[in-house]
């Protein structure tokens, strides 16, 4: 099964593509969000190219599991993805994915690797790989 992973954000969505067979995800890049809308042309092209069976979108939660205000926005984005694409969309707990992404990038590539795009994309990989591990 091919999966598209999304690290939801109000300004950018980090994206990755992965396989349930390998449990591994690779970076695709980040998608700019303008007026609460992601660059649909980029997402449309990735879905056309990769033909994912499902999308996994990260939903931010507080450490105690309660929602942030942005949690509702991520859930609304998941609903938009469901209506736009003919694939199943799963919502995944994304707690600590950004922290983990920053730590890994810094450790392996140094401070210069901590760009917004790199962090968002690595976060999408982490969210997707965690989801595959827990659900497949």
């Amino acid at each position: 099964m091919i999966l598209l992973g999304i690290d939801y954000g109000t300004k950018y969505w980090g994206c990755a593509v992965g396989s349930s067979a390998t449990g591994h995800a690779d970076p695709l890049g980040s998608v700019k969000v303008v007026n609460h809308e992601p660059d649909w042309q980029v997402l449309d092209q990735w879905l056309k190219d990769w033909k994912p069976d499902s999308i996994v979108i990260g939903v931010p939660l507080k450490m105690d599991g309660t929602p942030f205000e942005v949690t509702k926005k991520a859930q609304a984005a998941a609903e938009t993805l469901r209506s736009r694409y003919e694939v199943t969309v799963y919502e995944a707990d994304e707690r600590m994915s950004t922290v983990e992404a920053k730590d890994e990038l810094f450790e392996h590539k140094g401070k210069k690797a901590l760009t917004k795009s790199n962090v968002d994309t690595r976060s999408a990989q982490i969210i997707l790989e965690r989801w595959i591990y827990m659900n497949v």
Side-chain angles (χ1 to χ4, degrees):
M1 182 166 58
I2 302 299
L3 301 145
L4 179 72
I6 297 175
D7 176 33
Y8 173 83
T10 58
K11 295 181 182 177
Y12 291 92
W13 291 6
C15 297
V17 65
S19 166
S20 62
T22 64
H24 178 73
D26 290 307
L28 284 178
S30 60
V31 176
K32 188 168 179 59
V33 177
V34 178
N35 296 323
H36 311 288
E37 295 288 330
D39 187 337
W40 290 114
Q41 288 182 331
V42 173
L43 288 170
D44 290 346
Q45 188 61 52
W46 284 340
L47 267 87
K48 181 180 174 187
D49 292 345
W50 289 98
K51 298 173 182 51
D53 300 289
S54 300
I55 297 172
V56 177
I57 185 168
V59 175
L61 298 168
K62 294 179 185 176
M63 290 306 294
D64 66 1
T66 59
F68 288 104
E69 186 173 316
V70 72
T71 304
K72 292 178 186 175
K73 293 177 183 179
Q75 291 168 327
E79 194 55 44
T80 299
L81 290 165
R82 284 183 188 99
S83 65
R84 184 176 181 96
Y85 302 114
E86 294 180 14
V87 298
T88 303
V89 177
Y90 297 101
E91 296 176 20
D93 182 345
E94 70 156 23
R95 280 180 278 189
M96 300 300 291
S97 62
T98 300
V99 171
E100 185 178 336
K102 286 179 180 180
D103 287 348
E104 287 179 12
L105 288 167
F106 182 78
E107 181 180 330
H108 297 296
K109 298 181 181 178
K111 187 176 180 178
K112 290 185 180 185
L114 297 178
T115 65
K116 178 80 172 131
S117 180
N118 284 348
V119 172
D120 290 345
T121 302
R122 180 63 190 128
S123 293
Q125 287 177 272
I126 291 167
I127 291 163
L128 185 51
E129 288 173 350
R130 280 185 193 163
W131 188 89
I132 292 169
Y133 178 77
M134 299 297 292
N135 295 282
V136 178

